[in-house]
Amino acid sequence: QSALTQPRSVSGSPGQSVTISCTGTSSDVGGYNYVSWYQQHPGKAPKLMIYDVSKRPSGVPDRFSGSKSGNTASLTISGLQAEDEADYYCCSYAGSYGGVFGGGTKLTVL
Amino acid sequence: QITLKESGPTLVKPTQTLTLTCTFSGFSLSTSGVGVGWIRQPPGKALEWLALIYWDDDKRYSPSLKSRLTITKDTSKNQVVLTMTNMDPVDTATYYCAHRDYYDSGDAFDIWGQGTMVTVSS
């Protein structure tokens, strides 16, 4: 089970939008609608931002949205704010193999 | 309020077996749809999915580590234990346990413990 593929880094200015992609296979991302996204600030535990591809947990701003097409899921952050600067990880259900994370993307707010 | 906390040794020697305990509160691991998973993160590197145990004692393991991992639960103590055999320096990482509730947040880990750092060194 290989890690899902994410860009190593993305950046954007305050107020702009950025999209982070997460590419897997038909055995994980493409096979199930169970993709989740996590935000991790340095030295902190990850925080769930999106689950089931596009659902937001209570308390997560609606600036965060998720989608999926085929074997690629995406996280879009609109109206970038300084506090959005963090590492972002996608994760997908992988059937009998449990789950698999992406390699992580560092978001820089310029 | 759901909380989880990892505990275990901070230092283990190569070839030893690591035993980590996740002690939780605010939910029951006998409730349908609930699970507790383990995830690790080497310093400066990505998260890695390790194992998950479900309310019905079904278990899932990372294929690459399956031969070395065992996950068990003690519902009466509100604990989940992960054992990893034959530890190697590359297993040095922060180990997290996390809560999963299918009826709340699908297959995602919605609440995480603070993590515990484990160093493998002689």
Side-chain angles (χ1 to χ4, degrees), chain A residues 34 38 40 51 89 96-97 99, chain B residues 41 60 63 102 104-105 109:
Chain A
Y34 292 131
Y38 301 86
Q40 186 180 36
Y51 69 97
Y89 293 91
S96 60
Y97 296 129
Chain B
Q41 185 173 38
R60 296 287 184 269
Y102 178 80
D104 268 354
S105 50
F109 295 117

Side-chain angles (χ1 to χ4, degrees), chain A residues 1 34 36 38 40 44-46 48 51-52 89 93 95-99 101-103, chain B residues 39 41 45-49 60-61 63 96 102 104-110 112-113:
Chain A
Q1 192 74 16
Y34 292 131
S36 51
Y38 301 86
Q40 186 180 36
K44 300 294 187 181
L48 178 64
Y51 69 97
D52 290 0
Y89 293 91
Y93 177 71
S96 60
Y97 296 129
F101 280 95
Chain B
I39 304 99
Q41 185 173 38
K45 296 189 177 181
L47 299 171
E48 181 180 13
W49 199 101
R60 296 287 184 269
Y61 294 103
Y96 295 98
Y102 178 80
D104 268 354
S105 50
D107 192 63
F109 295 117
D110 59 349
W112 293 60

